[in-house]
Every structure is written in structure tokens, then in C-alpha cells.
């Protein structure tokens, strides 16, 4: 009589054990289906902020549905020189670096931090303002430098040592000397800052000094947007895409000085600038943006998937919705990852 009881208890224990194992398997299965969570770190030019926010939202949805990954982003907007120096000087972790001047990547990041980069978008320099700006109804393509020089008028540009829009702005004003035959650079730059020129070679000291209240300098070009919108600043040099994204008024500049015309590359190249922050000399050239995934990116595989999305149809549509012309196709240099090769033209 005792044996059946023990056998019954034994089988009961087996059944209970099986139910526990079965429950554990179901839990494991559901956890396997749950999306992993990863955070991509992106250091980028301030002028890319709005299109990247939209692109990241779309990629997050795509990745969760198609890659089984729940992606969040940690964006750090800054001047492009500063973005690169966060990697080279401060040794901060990042997955992607995107710059408003693609040449900063081969100058500062290749070969130690990355071995490839992609050119993906273009832009041009404009002068933006609002209806609150002094002489807003008078300024135009032919008299802008005279308006900026008037007493009481204030204007701004970003720090050349941190931001391509800054060094491009001062190069635009030096090119204006050549185009208009007037001392535009001397009047607007040298009289108001310690940035100076020797012929067509501009020097931006490591520490930029502002001599009066006429000029406002900020680390990146988008830092000036709020000042103009509030009426605290009359005008600023900015990318056309940013002016349109913020619904600002702006005047376009002649193709010979706006850095937006590829056919004028030789004309632009008459002017160059040496940056005190890096010691590098940069020649004026058409504006082209660049992007790379770093060699030691914490989430390199996922970052390349994001770059693939960025360079594809989805990215092109997002950038064009945000008033930024997209290269068709993007152009890549170096050890280009196989995942993006079908989307780019490989050079060099």
C-alpha cells in the first residue's frame, strides 16, 4: 500500500517540474521576441539637428519592426570641428560623427579613428533676419555689406575655431572683397574682431576677441537663431537649410561667394583660412557634408544599419523635406562597409 503512494508523489513531482520548466521556456521565448534596447551616440553639426531628429524617429520605428532592436539616440550637436575633437582630444565614445564640412573627417579622424567617410548633402551660406531686423525692408543681394556696416546694426556668425559655418562666413566676406571690389572683410571682420587677413589668407586666432557690440559670436551657427528670432540680433550668416527650417527671412548671395555652386570651386579656392584651434589651413570650397562610423563605435553594427538607412531612399526624403539638397548618389571614400556600397559611389 505504501509503494503506490510514493509512486503517486513521484509522478506529481515530475508533473510539477515539467510545468515549471514549461513556464520557464515560455518566459524565455517571450523574452527572445522582445526587442533589444540599444543607444546610438551621434556627434553632429548643429545644422543637421532637425533632419536628424526626424530621421532617427523613422529609423527607430524601422529597427524595432525589422531588426528587433529598440533604438534610442544620444545626440550631441556642436560645431563640426568640436565634434571631431570630442573624439580626438577628449576620447569620448561615439558611434557616428557627421560634419558640415566633409574634409574635417580625413583631416582629423582618418586613419586613427575611422577608415571611411561619405559625402551626402550640400548647402549654401545666406544672411538670415526677421521683420524686426534694422533695415529689413532695404537689405538685398547688392547692398547687404553696407547694411551690416551701418551704425546700430548687429550681426553674428559662429566661432570659426569650432564650426565650419563660422570659418565659411568669414571666407564669404573675404570672397565678397574680390567680387564687389570693396573692403568688405576689413569693414565687417577686422574692425570688429581679431580675425585678420594677409591677402586672401585668413587667420582665426585660437581665442577670438570681439572688439565691440556690433558682432556676436557663438559656438555653433544654430545658437544664433534664437537671438535673431527674439530681435536681440539683426542678422546672421547661416546655412540656407537652417533659415528655411526656422522660417526666417534671408537674402541669397551671389554664386561667386555663397559656397554653394560646384562650378565656382576654383573661384572659391582663392581664399583659405588657418584655424588657431587645430593649426589646419582650410581652402574655401563648395559646401558638402560628411558622415562616418567610427572604428571603435560601441554599437558599430547597428550604426552601420542606421547609416544604410540614412543614405537610402528614407534619408534622401527626410533631408529634402528639411530643405537640404542630397547628393545623388552619395560619394564614399576609404574602406567602405559592404552594407552601404550599393547606395554610394565609391571613390579612391
Amino acid at each position: 500500500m505504501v509503494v503506490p503512494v510514493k509512486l503517486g508523489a513521484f509522478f506529481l513531482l515530475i508533473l510539477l517540474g515539467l510545468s515549471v520548466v514549461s513556464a520557464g521556456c515560455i518566459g524565455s521565448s517571450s523574452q527572445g521576441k522582445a526587442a533589444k534596447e540599444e543607444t546610438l551616440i551621434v556627434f553632429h553639426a548643429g545644422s543637421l539637428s532637425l533632419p536628424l531628429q526626424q530621421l532617427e524617429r523613422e529609423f527607430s520605428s524601422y529597427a524595432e519592426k525589422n531588426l528587433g532592436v529598440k533604438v534610442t539616440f544620444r545626440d550631441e550637436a556642436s560645431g563640426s570641428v568640436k565634434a571631431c575633437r570630442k573624439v580626438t582630444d577628449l576620447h569620448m565614445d561615439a558611434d557616428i560623427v557627421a560634419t558640415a564640412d566633409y574634409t574635417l573627417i580625413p583631416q582629423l579622424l582618418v586613419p586613427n579613428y575611422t577608415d571611411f567617410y561619405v559625402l551626402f548633402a550640400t548647402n549654401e551660406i545666406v544672411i538670415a533676419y526677421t521683420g524686426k531686423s534694422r533695415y529689413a525692408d532695404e537689405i538685398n543681394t547688392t547692398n547687404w555689406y553696407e547694411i551690416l556696416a551701418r551704425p546700430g546694426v548687429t550681426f553674428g556668425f559662429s566661432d570659426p575655431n569650432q564650426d565650419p559655418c563660422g570659418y565659411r562666413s568669414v571666407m564669404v566676406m573675404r570672397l565678397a572683397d574680390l567680387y564687389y571690389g570693396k573692403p568688405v572683410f576689413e569693414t565687417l571682420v577686422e574692425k570688429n574682431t581679431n580675425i585678420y587677413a594677409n591677402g586672401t589668407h585668413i587667420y582665426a586666432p585660437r581665442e577670438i576677441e570681439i572688439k565691440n557690440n556690433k558682432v556676436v559670436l557663438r559656438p555653433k551657427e544654430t545658437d544664433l537663431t534664437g537671438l535673431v528670432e527674439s530681435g536681440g540680433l539683426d542678422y546672421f550668416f547661416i546655412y540656407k537649410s537652417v533659415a528655411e527650417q526656422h522660417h526666417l527671412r534671408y537674402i541669397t548671395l551671389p554664386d561667386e561667394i555663397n559656397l554653394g555652386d560646384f562650378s565656382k570651386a576654383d573661384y572659391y579656392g582663392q581664399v583659405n583660412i588657418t584655424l588657431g584651434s587645430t593649426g589646419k589651413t582650410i581652402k574655401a570650397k563648395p559646401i558638402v557634408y560628411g558622415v562616418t562610423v567610427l572604428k571603435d563605435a560601441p554599437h558599430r553594427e547597428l550604426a552601420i544599419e542606421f547609416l544604410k538607412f540614412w543614405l537610402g531612399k528614407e534619408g534622401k526624403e527626410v533631408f529634402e523635406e528639411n530643405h537640404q539638397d542630397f547628393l545623388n548618389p552619395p560619394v564614399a571614400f576609404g574602406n567602405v562597409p559592404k552594407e552601404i556600397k550599393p547606395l554610394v559611389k565609391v571613390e579612391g
Side-chain angles (χ1 to χ4, degrees), residues 1-315:
M1 298 292 294
V2 175
V3 173
V5 172
K6 287 186 176 179
L7 284 173
F10 177 72
F11 284 122
L12 181 60
L13 287 171
I14 289 176
L15 286 171
L16 287 171
L18 286 172
S19 66
V20 170
V21 171
S22 176
C25 290
I26 292 169
S28 298
S29 176
S30 63
Q31 286 176 358
K33 290 179 181 177
K36 295 188 298 180
E37 294 188 14
E38 293 193 17
T39 299
L40 286 178
I41 306 166
V42 183
F43 294 168
H44 65 83
S47 57
L48 292 173
S49 293
L50 291 184
L52 276 187
Q53 287 168 14
Q54 182 178 340
L55 188 66
E56 289 167 357
R57 287 193 299 270
E58 294 188 10
F59 180 72
S60 294
S61 177
Y62 167 84
E64 189 162 5
K65 182 178 178 181
N66 296 281
L67 306 177
V69 182
K70 188 173 183 180
V71 184
T72 56
F73 288 86
R74 198 185 90 206
D75 289 338
E76 292 198 14
S78 66
S80 297
V81 176
K82 185 175 181 180
C84 291
R85 294 184 70 190
K86 286 179 182 178
V87 176
T88 60
D89 297 4
L90 302 179
H91 306 293
M92 295 172 65
D93 285 337
D95 293 294
I96 289 174
V97 176
T99 61
D101 182 351
Y102 80 89
T103 63
L104 294 173
I105 299 175
Q107 279 188 4
L108 301 176
L109 299 179
V110 174
N112 293 335
Y113 303 94
T114 190
D115 56 6
F116 84 98
Y117 54 98
V118 183
L119 288 58
F120 68 92
T122 63
N123 224 319
E124 67 181 81
I125 298 291
V126 300
I127 298 174
Y129 61 103
T130 72
K132 303 172 187 175
S133 303
R134 293 174 179 86
Y135 309 109
D137 294 333
E138 291 184 40
I139 194 166
N140 59 46
T141 300
T142 61
N143 71 4
W144 60 269
Y145 55 91
E146 295 172 347
I147 297 293
L148 296 189
R150 287 182 182 178
V153 174
T154 58
F155 70 94
F157 53 89
S158 55
D159 185 348
N161 281 308
Q162 299 189 50
D163 186 35
C165 193
Y167 59 69
R168 284 168 171 156
S169 298
V170 296
M171 289 195 286
V172 160
M173 286 183 269
R174 187 64 187 90
L175 283 167
D177 288 356
L178 307 178
Y179 181 74
Y180 296 106
K182 302 285 182 64
V184 178
F185 185 88
E186 178 186 351
T187 302
L188 298 182
V189 179
E190 290 184 330
K191 285 186 177 179
N192 300 307
T193 76
N194 63 342
I195 301 168
Y196 65 98
N198 183 3
T200 56
H201 191 148
I202 303 166
Y203 297 86
R206 179 184 290 271
E207 298 295 331
I208 306 295
E209 296 175 6
I210 305 300
K211 298 177 180 179
N212 50 51
N213 295 327
K214 188 170 192 63
V215 170
V216 174
L217 199 72
R218 290 291 184 270
K220 60 182 184 295
E221 76 285 344
T222 49
D223 293 339
L224 295 161
T225 306
L227 286 175
V228 171
E229 289 174 329
S230 68
L233 184 67
D234 292 313
Y235 300 93
F236 73 128
F237 290 83
I238 190 64
Y239 297 118
K240 181 179 178 181
S241 65
V242 177
E244 294 196 345
Q245 288 162 12
H246 290 270
H247 309 292
L248 294 169
R249 295 187 189 183
Y250 63 89
I251 61 162
T252 57
L253 299 171
D255 288 342
E256 286 81 2
I257 68 176
N258 66 18
L259 304 182
D261 187 338
F262 282 82
S263 71
K264 301 291 189 295
D266 289 341
Y267 189 87
Y268 300 154
Q270 298 176 87
V271 171
N272 55 48
I273 186 169
T274 297
L275 304 180
S277 59
T278 65
K280 302 285 186 180
T281 296
I282 297 170
K283 185 165 74 170
K285 55 190 161 309
I287 296 168
V288 183
Y289 286 65
V291 61
T292 188
V293 175
L294 299 179
K295 286 180 181 179
D296 60 352
H299 311 96
R300 183 174 168 83
E301 185 177 339
L302 183 60
I304 289 174
E305 284 292 334
F306 179 46
L307 182 57
K308 182 178 172 183
F309 192 82
W310 182 324
L311 300 174
K313 176 175 175 288
E314 297 85 355

